[in-house]
Amino acid sequence: WEEMQTSNWAVTFKFSRFVLLIFLMAHVSGCIWHISSTFNFLDDAQRDGWVERYEGKNQDTHVMRLYLLSMYWAFTTLTTTGYGDVTPSKNIELIWTNIVM
């Protein structure tokens, strides 16, 4: 019985560590995804980033909404679901999307 209980704790610990790692990867990827919309790389000066395309020119978008959209993009990209509603438009966003995939 003790071996089985120890084994259950080990499996629970490994699974918890795996879930935490996935969330950490999504957080970092999502944060870089959000930051990438602010950079102009190569010929991006005339292009709107994903924030402007998704939210419009609204400058009052709450930072939590942008974080949630970034996390949504990260999870759909990392799981290869990719619904296509939040997509890259700038070159730097395309580069980051390719790296994450």
Side-chain angles (χ1 to χ4, degrees), residues 19-34 67 69-79 96 100:
V19 169
L20 184 63
L21 181 64
I22 295 296
F23 272 90
L24 180 64
M25 287 175 51
H27 170 76
V28 170
S29 296
C31 288
I32 293 172
W33 172 248
H34 178 257
Y67 177 74
L69 284 168
S70 297
M71 289 293 285
Y72 167 78
W73 171 86
F75 277 115
T76 57
T77 302
L78 289 170
T79 60
W96 182 243
V100 170

Side-chain angles (χ1 to χ4, degrees), residues 3 11 13 18-20 22 24 28 35 38 42-43 45 54-55 62-64 67 70 76 88 96 101:
E3 280 183 31
V11 169
F13 176 75
F18 174 73
V19 169
L20 184 63
I22 295 296
L24 180 64
V28 170
I35 290 169
T38 63
L42 298 176
D43 62 346
Y54 196 81
E55 290 291 304
H62 196 277
V63 70
M64 183 54 79
Y67 177 74
S70 297
T76 57
W96 182 243
M101 290 178 81

Side-chain angles (χ1 to χ4, degrees), residues 76-92:
T76 57
T77 302
L78 289 170
T79 60
T80 66
T81 305
Y83 295 115
D85 49 352
V86 180
T87 56
S89 59
K90 291 184 171 186
N91 290 327
I92 192 74

